[in-house]
Amino acid sequence: KSLERLGTDYIDLLQIHWPDRYTGGLFGQPDFSPKNMEKDDSTSFEEQLSALNDVVRAGKVRYVGVSNETPFGVCSMVELAKHSPDLYPRIVSIQNSYSLLVRKE
């Protein structure tokens, strides 16, 4: 019904925002550390990409992207799509914050 309300048959780009897991290093948080991922029991990359693949295969979405994602998250998703293109869509866009005030050296 959402597409119908929008008056379209599909969405060109669907971006997921704010990963529901430990990210670290975003917006002044301490830097990301992979060891902190062990404590995280949130939605897996596989599950996220699988759900996105469902809407792509259904023709409701053409492309998928991410926003406020870590380099670790992007690389993980890219590798999954590269090794299993039939199961997972390829990420085509990244929209992360850029601030002159919050900078990493």
Side-chain angles (χ1 to χ4, degrees):
K1 288 193 165 202
S2 295
L3 292 176
E4 196 175 294
R5 280 196 317 266
L6 292 171
T8 188
D9 296 327
Y10 61 87
I11 296 172
D12 285 317
L13 175 65
L14 175 64
Q15 287 195 166
I16 56 175
H17 295 267
W18 289 111
D20 183 23
R21 63 179 153 68
Y22 164 73
T23 55
L26 297 175
F27 299 103
Q29 295 177 1
D31 287 342
F32 176 83
S33 174
K35 70 179 180 179
N36 290 332
M37 290 291 293
E38 297 168 6
K39 303 172 191 172
D40 194 1
D41 64 346
S42 58
T43 308
S44 69
F45 294 119
E46 292 86 352
E47 186 175 347
Q48 292 176 61
L49 288 176
S50 180
L52 291 169
N53 198 42
D54 290 345
V55 294
V56 169
R57 292 218 181 254
K60 296 177 181 181
V61 172
R62 287 188 174 182
Y63 303 102
V64 297
V66 295
S67 179
N68 300 317
E69 184 56 82
T70 63
F72 176 81
V74 171
C75 289
S76 297
M77 291 181 189
V78 167
E79 283 300 308
L80 284 167
K82 185 190 312 182
H83 294 293
S84 301
D86 293 338
L87 298 176
Y88 309 118
R90 186 172 61 95
I91 300 301
V92 300
S93 67
I94 302 171
Q95 177 189 357
N96 282 357
S97 172
Y98 179 80
S99 171
L100 294 174
L101 300 176
V102 180
R103 309 275 296 167
K104 296 283 182 175
E105 295 182 337

